[in-house]
Amino acid sequence: MRQFLKKVLGFLGFSYLSYLGLTIILILVFSSNKSSFHPDRGNFHREYEKAFSTKDVSILILGSSRILAAVDPSIIQENVQLKTAQLGFKQSNLSYTYDLLLAYLKGTEQLPEHIILDISWFSFDSRRLSYKPYASYFAYQNPLLFKRYLITNEQNHLKNGLLTLGRTIARRNQSTLEFDMGKKERTKQDSLSKSYVFESNDLGFLKTFPDGNSEIVEEQLAAFKAIVALCKEKGINLILLTTPEDELFSKSQQNREEIYSLIRQNAVSVTWLDYSLGGKNYKKTYENLLLDSHHVYFKQTFTRILLQDLEPYLSQ
């Protein structure tokens, strides 16, 4: 029995030392160029490179595909004369967003003045959103900041790091690969008519959100609280943004009020621009801007609408 235990402990020790060895190699590899990010259909990698190469961005845009599809940073930058970066990532959760923000703020001499954060009914749901392998850049480039993750492999960073490294090599000649490439094409029309159909019995909707309920995962709620607290601590103006969604999509959200109440409770005195049903910025006609139940298709049009509502809060 003693010999068996020694073998087991020896194997576990060897395995962990191997893990630490690979971790150190990945730290060295990723730290060699801290402003290089591989092209991906989930984001705009040049926006990441712009932000992390100089760390002098005044407005950071963070969140999932909702904010990626809806907000054009160039229009905001041109109109308010503040350097703006779109750092959203398709289907990314709030834990990913928080770690991205921590990595950006690490060592920066110029804090962003404003952060626009994507928030919605499914922001705390693990079936709809997830932690992205792209976060390996942040973890391995900032090992002291993320040492707990790297020691425990809590966010599966070893697998994600190897995956990200492989993608970096495979996509080095695919610089045009980015989020908009995956956008579905619509038949030619203007933004004055609705071009999609959403039904409350949609199988995809019910598969992701059984009985019309979105999860409230404690880890994601904690990440949201941490983002709010970090912005308050650093004196950064946090602005929550709920982009337009279909009226029936909103009405099909059975625990919508519970989740919205949580958002309000944990973001007291934080500006919230809500273009969904019941929000102070809602208009039924915004459905004509949508690609589907909750993604904007006419990005430039919506960004100009957003800009009118946003500008007063950027001067605070």
Side-chain angles (χ1 to χ4, degrees):
M1 185 65 179
R2 186 175 297 176
Q3 285 296 109
F4 174 73
L5 287 175
K6 284 180 66 177
K7 287 182 179 180
V8 170
L9 290 174
F11 173 76
L12 292 174
F14 175 78
S15 298
Y16 190 66
L17 287 174
S18 299
Y19 165 76
L20 290 179
L22 285 171
T23 298
I24 291 170
I25 291 171
L26 288 171
I27 289 171
L28 294 174
V29 170
F30 280 103
S31 296
S32 63
N33 191 343
K34 291 196 173 186
S35 61
S36 178
F37 297 86
H38 72 70
D40 198 285
R41 286 192 177 89
N43 73 343
F44 297 108
H45 74 281
R46 290 190 184 89
E47 289 287 301
Y48 275 67
E49 291 175 347
K50 177 178 76 174
F52 279 87
S53 61
T54 57
K55 289 194 174 184
D56 62 351
V57 175
S58 295
I59 303 175
L60 286 179
I61 302 169
L62 308 176
S64 67
S65 57
R66 288 184 65 139
I67 209 163
L68 274 171
V71 183
D72 186 332
S74 65
I75 292 177
I76 294 177
Q77 181 168 310
E78 179 183 346
N79 281 272
V80 301
Q81 297 300 301
L82 292 173
K83 189 173 181 180
T84 305
Q86 168 62 273
L87 301 185
F89 202 104
K90 183 179 180 180
Q91 296 181 338
S92 63
N93 61 18
L94 287 163
S95 292
Y96 170 88
T97 298
Y98 178 61
D99 286 351
L100 186 161
L101 182 56
L102 284 178
Y104 180 84
L105 295 179
K106 176 68 175 177
T108 184
E109 295 182 2
Q110 180 181 324
L111 292 172
E113 297 174 48
H114 313 279
I115 288 175
I116 303 173
L117 177 66
D118 169 33
I119 200 75
S120 72
W121 167 66
F122 55 73
S123 286
F124 309 126
D125 192 289
S126 64
R127 295 166 301 207
R128 183 64 179 78
L129 305 172
S130 62
Y131 196 82
K132 296 299 164 184
Y134 221 72
S136 299
Y137 284 112
F138 320 138
Y140 289 111
Q141 290 171 359
N142 302 278
L144 295 180
L145 184 62
F146 294 101
K147 59 182 181 292
R148 179 170 63 87
Y149 286 172
L150 298 182
I151 290 172
T152 63
N153 199 31
E154 183 179 322
Q155 293 285 8
N156 209 9
H157 276 304
L158 180 60
K159 176 185 174 182
N160 288 340
L162 294 172
L163 180 63
T164 300
L165 182 59
R167 287 173 175 171
T168 300
I169 297 169
R171 299 177 185 174
R172 57 190 169 188
N173 297 319
Q174 301 180 40
S175 60
T176 58
L177 190 68
E178 58 183 20
F179 173 71
D180 270 353
M181 284 185 62
K183 180 188 282 189
K184 290 180 284 185
E185 292 297 324
R186 279 174 42 157
T187 49
K188 284 189 176 181
Q189 64 169 70
D190 58 28
S191 59
L192 300 178
S193 61
K194 186 173 171 179
S195 65
Y196 65 92
V197 175
F198 173 80
E199 301 289 349
S200 57
N201 61 353
D202 180 85
L203 293 179
F205 174 79
L206 293 175
K207 181 178 179 181
T208 306
F209 307 110
D211 300 318
N213 287 300
S214 180
E215 288 181 320
I216 303 174
V217 177
E218 187 57 41
E219 180 186 354
Q220 300 314 310
L221 180 57
F224 176 63
K225 294 177 182 178
I227 292 170
V228 173
L230 182 59
C231 288
K232 184 177 181 180
E233 175 193 338
K234 299 290 186 181
I236 300 169
N237 179 30
L238 177 63
I239 299 168
L240 305 181
L241 173 61
T242 304
T243 56
E245 58 187 38
D246 183 84
E247 179 183 358
L248 185 55
F249 179 74
S250 298
K251 288 181 175 178
S252 300
Q253 301 164 5
Q254 298 304 308
N255 60 341
R256 177 183 176 88
E257 185 49 44
E258 178 186 2
I259 291 172
Y260 270 48
S261 178
L262 276 175
I263 295 170
R264 287 190 291 265
Q265 288 170 20
N266 291 287
V268 178
S269 75
V270 173
T271 299
W272 185 2
L273 300 178
D274 184 1
Y275 293 84
S276 68
L277 184 66
K280 66 177 182 179
N281 306 98
Y282 172 76
K283 286 184 181 180
K284 174 70 174 175
T285 54
Y286 291 158
E287 289 186 357
N288 301 337
L289 301 176
L290 297 176
L291 173 69
D292 53 35
S293 61
H294 58 283
H295 288 104
V296 169
Y297 180 83
F298 293 98
K299 180 190 292 188
Q300 287 74 27
T301 301
F302 176 72
T303 303
R304 291 187 178 94
I305 293 169
L306 170 65
L307 194 58
Q308 294 177 357
D309 298 322
L310 189 62
E311 281 189 289
Y313 301 103
L314 298 181
S315 59
Q316 292 180 357

